């Protein structure tokens, strides 16, 4: 076969692996035009039709529409330009599929009601700007006014901000959906706001002594060894550990280590130990790609129990 030989649709079908019907369809739309016709009116094609059909099949498998394919084979558009645009479109489709997969996986795992499923779907479909607004509303409700009065809270606010990446995996999307649901819970917002206000008040009260650590971190460090050693909260061996963190809290507040202070500290630690707060931090780490945070629940449970047993 040479460059002057003409081929029927049947010949092209055998050479390309496409059906006669498909080749005729492309020919009718001008993508592969015949060079001549037989006396009986049958179409004849040149050897270049084989290369064009191979390219058309490849582009169709990549998902390009016929209008774009025609422009490529007619050299009205360069293939790199089309490939770049199509890659961008596929990236959007992949993101949508990931979101849908995450929602369906979460529904399957959680046994959600139709109402919960609809909420999850809407949360997963939020744009980046919409996600930022939702997160901003939650953080403003929790820290509004406090970060200006207490500069340290600006850093705390940033550390509690979820940033869903451009190409999240299914686990990150599921975590984002659950975190968004949690941030919409008015009771959770009120609980975290109360904790923030208490910490801000403590920071202001002890401002003269300089920056201070959060009391939950102090309790973790000072009571953690007792828990690790298997000391029971009711045991006399727990006394020095309790005395250590209550003395630190009294120093923070500039108040005596008395019954009232210990009651206040126990209530404070119970609020810090809210399972929803820990879940928020766990989800935040997943969304942001951070290491999983240490659970404070065991040491806080121990500390609250030890405090209550020593507080009439």
């Amino acid at each position: 076969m040479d460059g002057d030989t003409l081929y029927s649709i049947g010949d092209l079908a055998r050479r390309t692996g496409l059906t006669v019907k498909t080749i005729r369809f492309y020919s009718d739309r001008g993508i592969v035009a015949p060079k001549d016709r037989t006396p009986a009116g049958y179409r004849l094609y040149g050897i270049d039709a084989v290369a064009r059909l191979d390219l058309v099949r490849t582009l169709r498998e990549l998902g390009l529409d016929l209008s774009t394919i025609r422009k490529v084979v007619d050299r009205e558009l360069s293939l790199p330009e089309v490939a770049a645009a199509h890659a961008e479109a596929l990236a959007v489709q992949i993101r949508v599929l990931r979101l849908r997969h995450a929602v369906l996986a979460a529904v399957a795992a959680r046994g959600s009601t139709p109402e919960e499923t609809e909420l999850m779907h809407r949360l997963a479909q939020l744009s980046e700007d919409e996600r930022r607004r939702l997160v901003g509303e939650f953080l403003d409700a929790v820290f509004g006014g406090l970060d200006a009065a207490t500069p340290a809270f600006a850093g705390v606010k940033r550390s509690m901000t979820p940033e869903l990446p451009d190409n999240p995996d299914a686990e990150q999307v599921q975590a984002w959906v659950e975190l968004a649901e949690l941030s919409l819970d008015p009771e959770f917002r009120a609980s975290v706001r109360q904790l923030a206000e208490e910490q801000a008040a403590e920071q202001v009260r002890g401002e003269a002594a300089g920056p201070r650590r959060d009391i939950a971190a102090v309790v973790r460090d000072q009571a953690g060894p007792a828990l690790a050693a298997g000391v029971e909260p009711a045991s006399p061996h727990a006394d020095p550990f309790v005395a250590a963190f209550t003395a630190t809290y009294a120093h923070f507040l500039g108040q005596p280590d008395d019954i009232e202070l210990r009651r206040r500290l126990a209530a404070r630690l119970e609020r810090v130990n809210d399972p929803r707060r820990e879940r928020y931090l766990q989800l935040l780490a997943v969304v942001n790609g951070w290491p999983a945070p240490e659970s404070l629940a065991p040491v806080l449970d121990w500390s609250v129990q030890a405090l209550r047993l020593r507080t009439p």
Side-chain angles (χ1 to χ4, degrees), residues 234-253:
S235 168
H237 296 295
D239 291 345
F241 297 98
V242 175
F245 65 71
T246 56
T248 300
Y249 191 58
H251 176 69
F252 279 2
L253 299 184

Side-chain angles (χ1 to χ4, degrees), residues 198-218:
E198 289 173 346
Q199 187 173 350
E202 291 169 8
Q203 291 282 353
V204 170
R205 182 174 298 186
E207 202 170 40
R212 60 183 73 257
R213 298 170 65 206
D214 178 69
I215 188 59
V218 172

Side-chain angles (χ1 to χ4, degrees), residues 125-139:
Q125 298 283 33
L126 292 179
S127 68
E128 182 178 354
D129 287 342
E130 290 168 332
R131 289 199 304 270
R132 289 185 181 278
R133 282 198 296 272
L134 186 151
V135 171
E137 289 173 2
F138 168 70
L139 295 175

